[in-house]
Amino acid sequence: NAGVMQNPRHLVRRRGQEARLRCSPMKGHSHVYWYRQLPEEGLKFMVYLQKENIIDESGMPKERFSAEFPKEGPSILRIQQVVRGDSAAYFCASSPPGQGYQPQHFGDGTRLSIL
Amino acid sequence: DQQVKQNSPSLSVQEGRISILNCDYTNSMFDYFLWYKKYPAEGPTFLISISSIKDKNEDGRFTVFLNKSAKHLSLHIVPSQPGDSAVYFCAATLTGGGNKLTFGTGTQLKVEL
């Protein structure tokens, strides 16, 4: 998974705290996607962003979750007032611009644990 | 609503033999399909993909078959190697519809010596 960098790899938060997950896409990739994997489940789409724009947030919970991909710096997935059910692995993926479908390449994820 | 299904949670195969992993989908609008391989504590790694205009795509030991009428695809690995032991995820997308991937729940492949 060279290129898509996620940090931290592990994050522990207490209920009610905020969690910030960061993702730097592969060089040359301008499309970023966030997915969540709950235990024993597949990955579920959350949000698709391009620089400074949210393109599709149909998988984002309506409250407490937000995402951004600023002009400079990494993409951030922010979870406010975390609850036990937010415990999961959060994966970021990126793809390059261009015509035709470009497979997404994934980072190694952030494992979020809520105490 | 599970639009992409992998009904076999696990599969065990002997080294050197063929591994066949199956995937079914319900959304006929999907037009691009991918297979990812995942090791523990790592992210999914892209393996191979196929467009809905094709019925077969091959890359080395990996071949993906698509049967649109049955809404079924399969991944063949031959010959299987111990390093292939991992969880395999099938994914589907509607190109031009935001490119978000819809994943199956995965199949744990174990290749035994």
Side-chain angles (χ1 to χ4, degrees):
Chain A
N1 293 322
V4 180
M5 303 300 296
Q6 289 190 248
N7 67 83
R9 291 294 309 275
H10 300 274
L11 182 61
V12 180
R13 285 287 177 266
R14 296 188 181 279
R15 281 177 292 172
Q17 292 185 319
E18 178 179 291
R20 280 185 179 239
L21 289 64
R22 287 176 291 277
C23 169
S24 296
M26 285 180 71
K27 188 175 181 180
H29 287 196
S30 56
H31 300 190
V32 166
Y33 310 79
W34 285 93
Y35 293 83
R36 175 165 67 174
Q37 184 182 25
L38 296 171
E40 308 301 324
E41 294 187 12
L43 284 75
K44 301 274 195 236
F45 169 79
M46 300 181 75
V47 62
Y48 163 36
L49 310 103
Q50 296 178 18
K51 284 286 187 181
E52 300 184 281
N53 283 304
I54 296 174
I55 308 301
D56 180 354
E57 57 181 347
S58 58
M60 287 279 270
K62 294 288 186 278
E63 298 177 348
R64 303 186 297 108
F65 285 71
S66 61
E68 62 176 5
F69 188 18
K71 188 176 181 181
E72 301 291 337
S75 175
I76 305 287
L77 179 67
R78 182 183 177 203
I79 311 172
Q80 296 178 289
Q81 299 172 2
V82 296
V83 301
R84 287 256 172 87
D86 297 332
S87 294
Y90 292 82
F91 292 97
C92 170
S94 70
S95 65
Q99 291 196 345
Y101 185 79
Q102 302 287 340
Q104 296 171 26
H105 296 269
F106 284 79
D108 284 338
T110 294
R111 272 84 184 157
L112 176 64
S113 298
I114 309 302
L115 301 179
Chain B
D1 177 26
Q2 190 69 25
Q3 296 187 67
V4 178
K5 300 177 184 178
Q6 293 177 256
N7 292 319
S8 298
S10 63
L11 175 67
S12 188
V13 172
Q14 276 197 314
E15 182 182 12
R17 306 294 285 266
I18 184 171
S19 295
I20 300 177
L21 296 100
N22 293 303
C23 177
D24 298 293
Y25 62 96
T26 57
N27 188 344
S28 57
M29 299 295 288
F30 288 142
D31 59 0
Y32 202 88
F33 304 88
L34 307 91
W35 285 93
Y36 283 84
K37 172 181 176 179
K38 187 180 180 304
Y39 293 117
E42 293 185 11
T45 300
F46 170 69
L47 267 180
I48 192 169
S49 62
I50 188 167
S51 165
S52 61
I53 62 173
K54 295 185 176 181
D55 55 19
K56 177 182 175 182
N57 189 26
E58 192 171 353
D59 184 1
R61 296 186 298 115
F62 302 91
T63 303
V64 56
F65 295 92
L66 175 63
N67 182 333
K68 281 177 57 181
S69 61
K71 297 193 183 68
H72 177 84
L73 65 157
S74 60
L75 174 68
H76 292 210
I77 307 172
V78 56
S80 301
Q81 300 173 353
D84 295 331
S85 297
V87 178
Y88 288 78
F89 289 99
C90 168
T93 190
L94 170 59
T95 60
N99 296 336
K100 64 185 181 185
L101 293 174
T102 300
F103 281 87
T105 50
T107 296
Q108 172 75 60
L109 173 65
K110 184 177 180 182
V111 180
E112 298 173 320
L113 296 171

